[in-house]
C-alpha cells in the first residue's frame, strides 16, 4: 500500500509499505478515504515528540470503509463507512468507564498518562496512523462509528479529532452565559473552540494569533474579535484593557509547545529542548484570565517539565483543566449540531491533496503557505473508487 513515511525531522515521503493485517480477533482493517494533517502532527514533523521512529506513518484523523474484520468483531461489517476517533481505547478499563477515552489504561504500554493514539510516536503506543491507503484499527467494536448517511465525508473526518478537541476545549472552560472567552491559536482546533464557545453561551469571543490570513478566516467563520499578538506589547495588559481591567472569564490554549511570541520560551523550548516546548501561551492564559477564572488546555506539550507560573495560578484562584479529547463522548452532540446546521466543519478545509504529494502537503501546512487552514489527504484507492462510481452514475 501507499503510505506516508517519516524519515526524520522535516522529512516525510510517500512510500510503499506492507498492507496491515489482522493481529487480534478484535481488529478491523479500514481502507482510508480521507485523512487530515493535524497541527499536532507538525510537532512530530518538527522532531519535538520523543520516540518518533523513522518509518512511522502519521495520521490520527481519518475515515474509511471497513475491508476486513477479526473473528471477535460484532458491531462492524465489511463495507461500513466509519469515522475512527484518534483515541485507541478499550472501552472497559477504569478510565474508559468514566468516558476518559484519551486516558485508556490498556492501549499504551509506553506511558502511564496518555492512552493510545494513532500515528503519534511510540510514546502514544506506536500505532501506525491513517495517512495511508489502509490502517489497522484495534478494538474495532469500541472506537469506530458508522457515519450517518446524511453526514458529509469531509464533516466526518473532522469529527475524528479537530472538532471534538475544540469542543472539549470550550467545555473544559466551564463557560457561563455571557462569559468573555479568549482562545489562543487560530488553527483548526482554535477555530472550533471559538465556534463552540458560542454554542455554550459565551457573550464575547476573542481569538489571538499572529498570522493574518488565519485571523481573517476565524473572524468570518466564528464571528469573533481577533488580536494579532505581534501588535501587542503585553498580552495580559491588553486583555485586561479589553475586559474592564478584570481579565477574561475563560482562556483556552489551542497552541501548545511551538507557540511563538516570547524569544526566551522559544530558545529554551523548541530550539534547545531544555523544557517541553514553549510555554508562552500557558503564561498568557494564566496571566490574562481573571481571578477565579478558568484555563482550558488542549495544546500539545511534551512529557517533561515546562516553566509555568503556577504561583500566579494559585494566588488568582484559577481552575486549570486539560486533557486529550474523549472523541467518542462528544460525537452524538456534535453530529446533532452538524445535522441542525449550527456548525459546518468542512468549511475550514482549504487544501485537498493526493497522498502521493504528502511531502508538499506537510511543507505547505507547516510553513503556513497558500492561506492553508486545514489539509485533507486523499489516497489513490479512494480517488479510483470515486471515479468508478461517477462513471457508473453516468
Amino acid at each position: 500500500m501507499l503510505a506516508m513515511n517519516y524519515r526524520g525531522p522535516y522529512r516525510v515521503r510517500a512510500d510503499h509499505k506492507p498492507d496491515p493485517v489482522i493481529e487480534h480477533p478484535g481488529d478491523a482493517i479500514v481502507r482510508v478515504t480521507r485523512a487530515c494533517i493535524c497541527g499536532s502532527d507538525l510537532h512530530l514533523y518538527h522532531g519535538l515528540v520523543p520516540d518518533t521512529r523513522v518509518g512511522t506513518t502519521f495520521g490520527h484523523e481519518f475515515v474509511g470503509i471497513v475491508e476486513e474484520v477479526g473473528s471477535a468483531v460484532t458491531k462492524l461489517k465489511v463495507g461500513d463507512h466509519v469515522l475512527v476517533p484518534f483515541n485507541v481505547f478499550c472501552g472497559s478499563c477504569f478510565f474508559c468507564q468514566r468516558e476518559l477515552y484519551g486516558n485508556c489504561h490498556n492501549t499504551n504500554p509506553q506511558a502511564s498518562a496518555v492512552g493510545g493514539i494513532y500515528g503519534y510516536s511510540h510514546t502514544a503506543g506506536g500505532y501506525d496512523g491513517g495517512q495511508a491507503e489502509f490502517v489497522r484499527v484495534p478494538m474495532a467494536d469500541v472506537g469506530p462509528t458508522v457515519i450517518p448517511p446524511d453526514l458529509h465525508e469531509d464533516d466526518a473526518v473532522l469529527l475524528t479529532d479537530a472538532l471534538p478537541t475544540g469542543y472539549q476545549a470550550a467545555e473544559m472552560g466551564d463557560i457561563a452565559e455571557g462569559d468573555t472567552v479568549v482562545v489562543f491559536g487560530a488553527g483548526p482546533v482554535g477555530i472550533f473552540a471559538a465556534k463552540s464557545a458560542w454554542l455554550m453561551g459565551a457573550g464575547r469571543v476573542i481569538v489571538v494569533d499572529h498570522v493574518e490570513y488565519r485571523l481573517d478566516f476565524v473572524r468570518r467563520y466564528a464571528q469573533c474579535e481577533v488580536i494579532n499578538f505581534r501588535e501587542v506589547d503585553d498580552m495580559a495588559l491588553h486583555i485586561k484593557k479589553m475586559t474592564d481591567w478584570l481579565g477574561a472569564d475563560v482562556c483556552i490554549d489551542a497552541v501548545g509547545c511551538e507557540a511563538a511570541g516570547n524569544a526566551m520560551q522559544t530558545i529554551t523550548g523548541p530550539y534547545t529542548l531544555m523544557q517541553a516546548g514553549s510555554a508562552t501561551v500557558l503564561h498568557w492564559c494564566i496571566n490574562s484570565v481573571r481571578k477565579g477564572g478558568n484555563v482550558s488546555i488542549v495544546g500539545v506539550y511534551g512529557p517533561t517539565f515546562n516553566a509555568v507560573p503556577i504561583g500566579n495560578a494559585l494566588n488568582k484562584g484559577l481552575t486549570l483543566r486539560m486533557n486529550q479529547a474523549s472523541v467518542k463522548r462528544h460525537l452524538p452532540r456534535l453530529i446533532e449540531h452538524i445535522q441542525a446546521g449550527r456548525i459546518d466543519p468542512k468549511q475550514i478545509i482549504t487544501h485537498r491533496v493526493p497522498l502521493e504529494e504528502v511531502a508538499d502537503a506537510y511543507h505547505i501546512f507547516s510553513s503556513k503557505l497558500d492561506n492553508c487552514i486545514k489539509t485533507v489527504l486523499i489516497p489513490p484507492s479512494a480517488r479510483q473508487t470515486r471515479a468508478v462510481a461517477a462513471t457508473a452514475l453516468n
Side-chain angles (χ1 to χ4, degrees), residues 12-250:
V12 301
R13 67 191 186 202
D15 268 343
H16 288 282
K17 299 177 69 174
D19 289 357
V21 297
I22 298 290
E23 298 179 10
H24 183 277
D27 289 352
I29 303 299
V30 171
R31 175 167 55 82
V32 178
T33 56
R34 292 283 190 281
C36 294
I37 300 177
C38 179
S40 55
D41 287 330
L42 297 183
H43 306 323
L44 299 166
Y45 178 64
H46 296 156
L48 297 176
V49 179
D51 208 6
T52 302
R53 302 182 186 181
V54 169
T56 298
T57 294
F58 299 167
H60 55 269
E61 296 178 289
F62 61 91
V63 299
I65 296 170
V66 177
E67 288 282 302
E68 184 182 356
V69 295
S71 59
V73 176
T74 61
K75 296 182 180 178
L76 292 181
K77 63 182 184 300
V78 172
D80 280 345
H81 198 183
V82 295
L83 67 89
V84 182
F86 77 86
N87 320 108
V88 184
F89 61 99
C90 71
S92 59
C93 71
F94 177 92
F95 302 101
C96 287
Q97 288 176 358
R98 287 154 180 80
E99 297 186 319
L100 294 170
Y101 303 122
N103 310 110
C104 178
H105 210 48
N106 290 327
T107 55
N108 183 8
Q110 305 299 326
S112 59
V114 71
I117 299 174
Y118 290 100
Y120 213 78
S121 85
H122 278 67
T123 61
Y127 299 91
D128 266 339
Q131 293 172 8
E133 291 189 275
F134 298 94
V135 63
R136 182 179 74 92
V137 176
M139 285 107 177
D141 271 341
V142 179
T145 294
V146 176
I147 300 171
D150 61 341
L151 191 69
H152 196 284
E153 188 172 41
D154 287 345
D155 288 328
V157 74
L158 293 168
L159 283 168
T160 60
D161 176 12
L163 178 53
T165 297
Y167 187 83
Q168 183 166 313
E171 179 190 67
M172 291 191 300
D174 196 20
I175 298 167
E177 186 174 353
D179 273 357
T180 294
V181 178
V182 176
V183 179
F184 291 96
V189 170
I191 292 167
F192 286 137
K195 193 75 170 179
S196 299
W198 291 120
L199 295 174
M200 296 181 187
R204 188 180 185 189
V205 178
I206 304 166
V207 176
V208 180
D209 204 292
H210 67 111
V211 181
E212 281 295 338
Y213 79 79
R214 302 208 314 180
L215 291 171
D216 289 341
F217 184 92
V218 73
R219 183 193 291 115
R220 297 191 308 271
Y221 181 81
Q223 299 85 45
C224 60
E225 301 170 61
V226 299
I227 299 170
N228 186 327
F229 68 72
R230 298 292 189 197
E231 300 172 357
V232 173
D233 292 327
D234 186 314
M235 180 55 64
L237 182 64
H238 190 81
I239 295 296
K240 288 178 180 178
K241 284 181 180 179
M242 297 178 68
T243 55
D244 294 329
W245 296 100
L246 295 176
D249 300 293
V250 178

Side-chain angles (χ1 to χ4, degrees), residues 2 7 77 95 105 169 182 185 187 206-207 210 222 253-254 275 286 297 304 316 323 339 343:
L2 193 69
R7 307 309 300 169
K77 63 182 184 300
F95 302 101
H105 210 48
V182 176
I206 304 166
V207 176
H210 67 111
D253 175 356
Q275 59 170 328
I286 289 170
I297 306 168
T304 53
K316 293 176 73 174
N323 205 350
Q339 290 172 332
I343 189 166

Side-chain angles (χ1 to χ4, degrees), residues 300-319:
V300 173
Y301 292 89
T304 53
F305 80 95
N306 273 97
V308 177
I310 197 67
N312 290 2
L314 167 67
N315 291 326
K316 293 176 73 174
L318 304 184
T319 298

